Amino acid sequence: MTSATLDKSYDPQQVEARWYSYWERNALFTADPSSLRPPYSIVIPPPNVTGQLHIGHALDNTLQDILCRFKRMRGYEVLWMPGTDHAGIATQNVVEREIAKEGLTRHDLGREKFIERVWKWKEEYGGKIINQLKRLGASCDWSRERFTMDEGLSRAVREVFVRLYEEGLIYRGDYIINWCPRCHTALSDLESEHEEVKGGLYHIRYPFRNGQGWITVATTRPETMLGDTAVAVNPEDPRYKNLADDKVVLPLVGRELPIIRDSYVALDFGTGALKVTPAHDPHDFDLGRKHGLEVIRIMDDSGRINELGGAYAGLDRFEARKKVLEDLQVQGLLEKQQEHLHAVGHCYRCKTMVEPILSKQWFVKVEPLAAEALKAVQQGDTRIVPAQWTKTYYEWMTNIRDWCISRQIWWGHRIPAWYCECGEVIVSRATPDKCSKCGGGDLRQETDVLDTWFSSGLWPFSTMGWPDQTPELKKFYPTSCLVTGFDILFFWVARMMMMGIKFMGEVPFKDVCIHALVRDAHGQKMSKSKGNVMDPLIIMDQYGTDAFRFTLAAFAAQGRDIKMSEERIAGYRNFVNKIWNAARFTMMNLEAGGGQAGEDDKLAPTLEDRWILSRINRTAAEVAAAIDDYRFNDAAGAVYQFAWHEFCDWYLELIKAPLYNQEDPAGQARARATLAEVFSRLLRILHPLMPFVTEELWQRLPGVEGSIMKAPWPEGRPDEIDLEAEAGMELIMSAISAVRNIRAEAGVAPGKEVPVVLSFDQDSARRMLLGHAGRLQSLAKISSVEDVPAGRAPEKAASAALAGVTLYVPLAGLVDFAAEAARLAKEIAKLEKEIAPSRKKLTNEGFLAKAPAEVVDKEKAKVGEADSKIGRLQDSLAKVKSFL
RNA sequence: AGGCACGUAGCUCAGGGGGAGAGCGCUACCCUGACACGGUAGAGGUCAUGGGUUCAAAUCCCAUCGUGCCUACCA
């Protein structure tokens, strides 16, 4: 392969397809638990099997990939554990929809057949996202890919369930839970998403039994009155101190209800009187228990009024509300209704309004687990980055309530509990064949399955073979870092913390790196219903994966939402192309040397060599530090700045002269050697961010063998840091810019060469500029450089004041003195404006007295420098004006 | 109701007590033998508002306005 085959512009499509399979074939992603290298491990947040790669996954996995590739290059044994989540409700919904097309429900098929169908679906369509992650370049160890319903992981689930049960941390009981009437299952508190809903607050009269007036209750849920078993008021409420009767008659139903007094009732809300429906409201449930109230559940699992709802039986809850209100209106019992804004839970899977319903479910007693998880972060075993999320984590961990883990669906880990006719409940790792109490053989397994998050909570260790003691666990647990969005901090991170500490005795990860949500260019959350989703696959097709990844990294500033913009992606596409062309240039020149580069580089390095080596050292260090700190945007920014604005803009331009100078073969070889070295390092610095193009270019570099993935990260070389070269280059670059500016402002044709006269007031500046006059000439199109004493400077010239030198471009006949005067005046004004704050500071006695000496010195130096420049510019201005 | 962020160039965003930055866009010139997905030179900002701390505030503190998000059982 030679640069003859390197196209003029980068075409991502063909390159990307080639390298991913190369990496996989060569097992470059595979982790070796017996390696002696230090471990670095990440478990992927397992996407749903039903999932399609969206931009949030893309961000999340790009960041993980950057970390993994970087750590590999730095000599770590890296395990990036991949896999997918069985996503109980979501997956079941998908397959139910599929069989619905055949006119079937899951009940037509029966549990076993239905689950077979789900597995079949999973084999066929599930895990599409895995290939999409590969498109993204994710360097996961696919040989270890896991699925939460795998046999091994299922064993871990059973083990955990049984142990928690045996310790009394799992229990079963009747409580109010969040019920989704569409999915027909219980949900945890987290899975019920609160959304503001405009509802009504209805004031309803409950007449006293004795006919002496009524009590008015206020409610947002009039339809649940069918299940009312009391009315409650606050014992302190003067309005209700002396009531006409101690019982009311429930309208529409006719049941007599006691009036209970409880301080729970707020005095200042509604009417101060509360209807109590223990079967359909969590607080009412508590009140009911406390006061020994009857519990009447009036709704079925689909949210329809059941036979206990009398005339309303069969009506959907919303129809029932309407009808109840109508009937109350007719009877004159609806005193008033007002608009009322309140937060109502919605199913996180299907957005159906959640129904709080009394039901028998399994729960995890989380308090003791949460206490440990809280402590682990407090004492720094796990660090949350950025730290602002720590508080949120604490808040949740301290206010946590028991976790409802049973789901009335079929797809998932079936709860390992069996019921015997004798009433015994057997919870066991292995399927029992007879009752442990009565010996009976007629056992029925619990039909409920576990919350999907129960199994994903075990992910960091179940994927590594737990409950067995495996080499993987030994080497890679606890994992180094977890990268995820804050939206699942509670759902998942918190649960992994609890489970990891409980069962491994150690936190599951040392760091939690929390990144922002990706939004569209207007800051809206991307969603299918809004139609503002950006499909990462299409983006990758259009701009290339590397450009996309680089954009994500550049946007990933901590603690902020990301507004994705296509313009930015296009900008970084251009950057990738810039790298490509820098490579094109590099290779053309390396080949021109017949592959001899590096052999004859004994010559002392030139200024630009020293400078670029110094700069790339700093850049490598900066990028490394940024990645280590999860400041991905800083990493991207630093390498972008270096590659484009130092390496390409200046260094490549500067070495064209020596590279093209046939008369100095040694100088050519030396330039080639540095170029090859610096470019090789640049590719390696870029690799974690843009793996594909860097691999392609790496493998085309002469003398390179093997993947860039195996190449070492360019660690710092303190000997190459060169302050003198950096300062010298500053001066040279400023001189070149000054000449270019003068040329542009004077309208000198780009091709025309101009003479330059320099008048020095510092010897170091003289040595630097005259010693590198050739560089000046080639980059600023200069015909000659002349050194004159200050007094002999050309008069009819445009000029610029630099540090230690005044630069003149004599433009006899060309120079427009009026324009030059304006330019100088502008320059002076700009300098004055810039230096004004410093001047002010130096007149401030407090500043001189209290500011650190080095700050004062710095300000003085700044003013001195500016004064020198301004003075020289004013001299020039006066001269120019004299010709007007 | 509480909590957490955020208001910086036309747009999208970095920065975070001592010289206002980037990308895109804009203006002018240039197809210069890596690159027009390019080059060179420019224009553009009282860093939301009002106070305070400090020798020094875009940066720290308080308040106000605006925006977004999270948590929450006043029916």
Side-chain angles (χ1 to χ4, degrees):
Chain A
M1 271 187 279
T2 68
S3 68
T5 59
L6 214 61
D7 293 335
K8 226 175 159 181
S9 63
Y10 174 55
D11 174 16
Q13 300 276 8
Q14 50 159 0
V15 167
E16 288 173 16
R18 196 160 61 238
W19 292 114
Y20 200 89
S21 59
Y22 168 89
W23 292 326
E24 274 198 297
R25 270 201 316 280
N26 289 278
L28 293 169
F29 305 153
T30 310
D32 175 8
S34 65
S35 156
L36 295 175
R37 293 159 173 258
Y40 186 86
S41 53
I42 291 183
V43 291
I44 204 169
N48 293 349
V49 259
T50 54
Q52 287 277 344
L53 189 79
H54 58 62
I55 209 149
H57 294 124
L59 171 67
D60 195 51
N61 289 288
T62 294
L63 301 186
Q64 290 173 67
D65 195 50
I66 290 169
L67 289 169
C68 288
R69 287 178 184 271
F70 172 66
K71 292 289 180 179
R72 276 192 207 98
M73 292 176 82
R74 281 200 125 174
Y76 288 81
E77 186 65 32
V78 172
L79 167 61
W80 185 6
M81 175 71 77
T84 49
D85 188 299
H86 69 278
I89 300 175
T91 309
Q92 175 156 327
N93 284 350
V94 167
V95 178
E96 282 192 290
R97 269 201 299 278
E98 195 187 73
I99 61 174
K101 287 182 204 146
E102 302 160 26
L104 296 170
T105 69
R106 67 178 154 124
H107 300 283
D108 294 332
L109 290 180
R111 186 164 188 142
E112 243 174 77
K113 283 264 184 306
F114 179 75
I115 287 178
E116 268 174 39
R117 264 311 272 273
V118 181
W119 276 109
K120 205 179 123 207
W121 179 91
K122 191 243 169 194
E123 297 315 324
E124 255 178 76
Y125 308 103
K128 233 186 210 167
I129 195 163
I130 294 300
N131 287 320
Q132 297 171 335
L133 286 171
K134 292 181 178 180
R135 274 280 317 270
L136 193 65
S139 59
C140 304
D141 184 352
W142 298 110
S143 69
R144 298 175 186 280
E145 185 182 337
R146 298 287 189 269
F147 179 53
T148 46
M149 288 281 281
D150 279 350
E151 219 179 300
L153 276 70
S154 301
R155 193 158 68 95
V157 165
R158 272 204 181 191
E159 179 68 28
V160 164
F161 187 95
V162 172
R163 275 170 62 177
L164 288 175
Y165 181 79
E166 285 169 352
E167 289 185 40
L169 292 173
I170 281 183
Y171 62 91
R172 186 172 181 244
D174 290 296
Y175 296 92
I176 299 274
I177 43 84
N178 303 296
W179 181 265
C180 175
R182 203 218 61 86
C183 297
H184 283 170
T185 180
L187 301 170
S188 69
D189 291 342
L190 280 177
E191 289 163 325
S192 160
E193 292 180 340
H194 289 265
E195 266 172 58
E196 290 266 293
V197 169
K198 236 187 274 166
L201 185 65
Y202 304 94
H203 294 237
I204 304 170
R205 290 175 180 168
Y206 282 26
F208 288 120
R209 180 180 50 178
N210 64 12
Q212 307 285 307
W214 59 79
I215 275 192
T216 304
V217 301
T219 181
T220 55
R221 305 253 359 236
E223 69 280 13
T224 63
M225 68 183 287
L226 302 171
D228 281 1
T229 53
V231 165
V233 297
N234 192 301
E236 303 301 320
D237 196 329
R239 288 172 291 182
Y240 303 116
K241 281 270 185 201
N242 303 301
L243 293 174
D245 197 353
D246 60 354
K247 291 227 165 127
V248 293
V249 177
L250 181 61
L252 310 180
V253 178
R255 185 162 54 238
E256 282 185 10
L257 308 179
I259 296 165
I260 60 170
R261 293 168 192 275
D262 196 292
S263 57
Y264 162 76
V265 183
L267 294 163
D268 55 356
F269 187 88
T271 61
L274 177 70
K275 69 188 233 4
V276 185
T277 323
H280 293 281
D281 182 280
H283 318 103
D284 292 8
F285 178 76
D286 292 342
L287 279 175
R289 280 212 161 169
K290 197 166 156 192
H291 295 270
L293 299 177
E294 204 184 338
V295 178
I296 303 173
R297 183 176 148 168
I298 48 97
M299 236 178 259
D300 68 12
D301 287 350
S302 298
R304 283 203 175 74
I305 305 300
N306 64 19
E307 66 284 355
L308 294 177
Y312 302 89
L315 289 180
D316 171 83
R317 52 191 169 148
F318 300 110
E319 296 165 0
R321 175 181 303 178
K322 224 169 124 190
K323 188 79 179 8
V324 162
L325 288 170
E326 278 170 17
D327 293 350
L328 288 170
Q329 181 90 56
V330 168
Q331 297 185 21
L333 295 172
L334 185 59
E335 196 171 288
K336 67 170 176 178
Q337 58 181 62
Q338 50 198 130
E339 265 208 359
H340 184 64
L341 205 63
H342 60 147
V344 178
H346 291 74
C347 172
Y348 85 131
R349 280 295 167 213
C350 71
K351 309 301 172 199
T352 301
M353 215 179 262
V354 159
E355 192 60 40
I357 268 183
L358 180 70
S359 168
K360 193 184 284 294
Q361 302 288 342
W362 292 84
F363 297 86
V364 172
K365 191 174 165 193
V366 285
E367 260 179 293
L369 300 170
E372 292 300 312
L374 180 67
K375 206 169 79 189
V377 174
Q378 279 169 340
Q379 63 195 27
D381 298 341
T382 292
R383 184 171 65 123
I384 299 177
V385 181
Q388 70 208 45
W389 291 107
T390 311
K391 199 173 168 184
T392 312
Y393 174 87
Y394 289 164
E395 202 115 330
W396 193 72
M397 279 300 189
T398 25
N399 296 320
I400 198 163
R401 294 195 301 168
D402 283 358
W403 173 17
C404 174
I405 49 170
S406 43
R407 297 289 177 274
Q408 288 64 48
I409 55 174
W410 288 349
W411 176 240
H413 300 280
R414 198 156 166 185
I415 290 179
W418 287 262
Y419 304 107
C420 176
E421 285 180 327
C422 77
E424 181 71 357
V425 177
I426 305 149
V427 168
S428 147
R429 290 167 183 83
T431 306
D433 46 15
K434 60 179 195 297
C435 174
S436 50
K437 192 176 177 194
C438 72
D442 190 15
L443 301 176
R444 288 175 304 106
Q445 186 175 1
E446 168 65 66
T447 53
D448 289 357
V449 300
L450 287 165
D451 181 2
T452 306
W453 298 102
F454 190 91
S455 52
S456 24
L458 317 181
W459 187 252
F461 50 96
S462 65
T463 50
M464 296 190 201
W466 190 89
D468 293 337
Q469 296 300 314
T470 63
E472 283 78 7
L473 281 170
K474 192 153 183 281
K475 176 88 182 171
F476 295 112
Y477 190 97
T479 65
S480 313
C481 178
L482 181 86
V483 181
T484 189
F486 61 79
D487 48 331
I488 54 172
L489 182 62
F490 305 142
F491 270 111
W492 191 47
V493 180
R495 269 115 187 218
M496 284 189 289
M497 288 291 287
M498 296 193 280
M499 295 297 201
I501 295 168
K502 176 75 184 165
F503 292 96
M504 293 298 297
E506 249 184 304
V507 293
F509 16 77
K510 291 172 200 141
D511 287 352
V512 178
C513 169
I514 294 186
H515 59 249
L517 235 52
V518 184
R519 299 168 184 283
D520 74 0
H522 308 287
Q524 297 282 309
K525 199 167 172 173
M526 290 191 190
S527 74
K528 273 181 200 152
S529 52
K530 284 187 200 140
N532 60 350
V533 283
M534 238 187 223
D535 185 343
L537 299 166
I538 294 173
I539 296 282
M540 287 190 272
D541 284 342
Q542 281 176 334
Y543 297 97
T545 299
D546 291 321
F548 180 51
R549 287 172 56 119
F550 202 90
T551 311
L552 290 168
F555 264 118
Q558 289 174 11
R560 242 213 221 242
D561 283 344
I562 296 173
K563 285 185 215 156
M564 193 32 80
S565 87
E566 217 164 315
E567 287 78 20
R568 273 297 274 275
I569 304 171
Y572 290 117
R573 186 258 330 262
N574 297 353
F575 177 57
V576 175
N577 191 56
K578 189 79 180 173
I579 298 297
W580 179 263
N581 275 286
R584 201 166 111 98
F585 174 84
T586 301
M587 287 171 199
M588 284 167 102
N589 283 287
L590 295 188
E591 275 153 22
Q596 303 271 314
E599 279 176 24
D600 199 5
D601 59 348
K602 279 162 270 168
L603 288 183
T606 61
L607 179 71
E608 66 266 11
D609 290 340
R610 289 160 56 202
W611 172 73
I612 200 70
L613 284 168
S614 187
R615 291 300 310 149
I616 200 166
N617 255 284
R618 291 185 192 276
T619 304
E622 214 176 318
V623 172
I627 296 178
D628 276 332
D629 287 348
Y630 309 113
R631 290 179 287 113
F632 299 96
N633 59 318
D634 287 341
V639 70
Y640 182 97
Q641 163 67 24
F642 171 81
W644 199 314
H645 298 304
E646 297 184 286
F647 182 74
C648 289
D649 285 354
W650 288 103
Y651 175 72
L652 291 187
E653 294 304 323
L654 281 165
I655 58 165
K656 279 178 182 174
L659 282 175
Y660 296 155
N661 185 0
Q662 306 280 357
E663 281 151 35
D664 179 12
Q668 280 183 308
R670 193 223 65 253
R672 281 186 203 117
T674 309
L675 172 60
E677 173 62 23
V678 173
F679 189 68
S680 152
R681 289 195 210 176
L682 176 58
L683 283 182
R684 283 177 278 153
I685 296 170
L686 284 166
H687 179 256
L689 293 153
M690 35 176 75
F692 292 104
V693 72
T694 50
E695 181 73 275
E696 171 77 13
L697 295 173
W698 178 261
Q699 303 246 0
R700 286 168 180 258
L701 280 181
V704 156
E705 256 180 55
S707 169
I708 192 170
M709 284 187 64
K710 300 283 247 183
W713 177 261
E715 298 293 346
R717 297 256 316 258
D719 57 303
E720 288 176 347
I721 299 288
D722 191 332
L723 294 175
E724 195 190 38
E726 289 185 22
M729 274 297 298
E730 285 293 318
L731 180 63
I732 288 176
M733 291 188 290
S734 71
I736 291 169
S737 293
V739 177
R740 285 170 171 172
N741 174 253
I742 288 168
R743 296 176 58 110
E745 299 268 328
V748 177
K752 185 178 162 59
E753 293 193 326
V754 296
V756 161
V757 177
L758 300 171
S759 170
F760 294 96
D761 52 58
Q762 281 173 18
D763 268 346
S764 57
R766 172 179 285 113
R767 261 181 277 119
M768 190 53 66
L769 285 186
L770 295 183
H772 301 90
R775 302 292 186 270
L776 234 62
Q777 288 179 309
S778 60
L779 290 203
K781 288 266 180 210
I782 294 169
S783 54
S784 62
V785 175
E786 193 187 345
D787 177 13
V788 301
R792 307 234 333 259
E795 300 201 319
K796 297 187 172 180
S799 60
L802 310 176
V805 58
T806 309
L807 181 151
Y808 301 88
V809 180
L811 292 168
L814 272 173
V815 72
D816 173 343
F817 293 108
E820 174 63 7
R823 195 183 68 82
L824 290 169
K826 195 179 95 184
E827 194 63 29
I828 291 166
K830 197 170 140 195
L831 274 171
E832 282 293 0
K833 195 182 159 198
E834 265 175 29
I835 206 65
S838 297
R839 286 196 203 284
K840 203 176 144 200
K841 278 183 191 175
L842 290 173
T843 60
N844 181 341
E845 280 173 35
F847 174 73
L848 294 171
K850 295 193 181 175
E854 70 258 28
V855 173
V856 176
D857 289 345
K858 205 174 140 196
E859 292 300 322
K860 281 183 179 162
K862 259 158 58 182
V863 170
E865 169 101 37
D867 278 340
S868 156
K869 284 182 182 171
I870 289 166
R872 285 177 278 149
L873 288 170
Q874 271 164 347
D875 289 347
S876 297
L877 180 58
K879 252 182 246 167
V880 167
K881 274 186 170 164
S882 70
F883 295 109
L884 284 176

